[in-house]
């Protein structure tokens, strides 16, 4: 039988909850005995995805963010979902340095960091419906 486990957390889109999401993902991942670097990579990617929900998806309003975590063998799958404004052009949004919030001192590197620290990143988004960021990382290759 393959090693699998799943967890879902739904939380308010408050900046203080970004840290909780990071720690929850890191704690869940410890079942795979990751290296410190792998944990740091996961925490950074989760942080960027949750921050995008707060700043861009909900534009500072408080709504719900859903984080689904799944372990399958040596892989961890992370889905971060909001029901916010959605992204009109996902390809453009994923370009390094592109930001729709320069006045908020956003660097436009969120998706770039996610892609750098995870093995796979895909984004599904619909304007007015919301966005889901799907990430995958193999632990201890």
């Amino acid at each position: 039988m393959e090693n699998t486990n799943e967890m879902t957390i739904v939380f308010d889109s408050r900046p203080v909850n970004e840290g909780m999401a990071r720690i929850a993902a890191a704690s869940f991942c410890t079942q795979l005995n990751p290296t410190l670097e792998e944990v740091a990579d996961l925490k950074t990617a989760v942080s960027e995805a949750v921050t995008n929900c707060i700043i861009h998806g909900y534009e500072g309003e408080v709504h719900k963010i859903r984080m689904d975590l799944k372990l399958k063998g040596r892989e961890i799958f992370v889905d971060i979902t909001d029901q916010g404004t959605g992204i009109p052009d996902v390809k453009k949004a994923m370009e390094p340095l592109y930001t729709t919030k320069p006045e908020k001192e956003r660097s436009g590197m969120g998706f770039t960091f996610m892609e750098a620290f995870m093995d796979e990143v895909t984004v599904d988004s619909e304007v007015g419906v919301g966005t889901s960021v799907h990430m995958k990382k193999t632990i201890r290759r």
Side-chain angles (χ1 to χ4, degrees):
M1 185 167 123
E2 190 170 35
N3 177 31
T4 62
N5 197 8
E6 295 183 29
M7 177 174 78
T8 297
I9 300 174
V10 177
F11 52 93
D12 284 345
S13 59
R14 300 178 189 279
V16 68
N17 288 334
E18 175 267 330
M20 179 275 307
R22 288 169 49 99
I23 297 301
S27 295
F28 187 73
C29 180
T30 61
Q31 301 166 59
L32 298 178
N33 194 26
T35 65
L36 290 175
E37 182 179 354
E38 289 169 329
V39 172
D41 290 352
L42 176 64
K43 287 169 63 177
T44 299
V46 165
S47 177
E48 294 295 336
V50 170
T51 298
N52 277 354
C53 294
I54 294 167
I55 304 260
H56 300 286
Y58 293 131
E59 298 185 346
E61 293 182 4
V62 177
H63 298 280
K64 299 298 182 192
I65 297 172
R66 178 182 172 124
M67 179 170 69
D68 294 293
L69 300 160
K70 181 178 181 177
L71 298 179
K72 186 174 180 185
R74 305 287 324 149
E75 297 173 323
I76 183 163
F77 298 86
V78 182
D79 294 337
I80 308 284
T81 303
D82 68 52
Q83 294 177 323
T85 60
I87 303 170
D89 186 343
V90 171
K91 186 176 178 183
K92 180 81 171 162
M94 293 182 77
E95 290 178 5
L97 303 176
Y98 177 79
T99 182
T100 59
K101 304 270 188 225
E103 72 282 359
K104 294 199 181 258
E105 298 182 20
R106 307 311 306 168
S107 68
M109 294 298 289
F111 285 122
T112 303
F113 288 146
M114 288 179 235
E115 290 178 320
F117 293 125
M118 301 296 279
D119 298 328
E120 292 179 19
V121 177
T122 59
V123 179
D124 297 319
S125 190
E126 186 176 337
V127 174
V129 176
T131 301
S132 290
V133 176
H134 311 283
M135 300 180 283
K136 179 179 114 174
K137 185 170 189 69
T138 302
I139 302 299
R140 294 233 177 189
R141 292 179 188 233

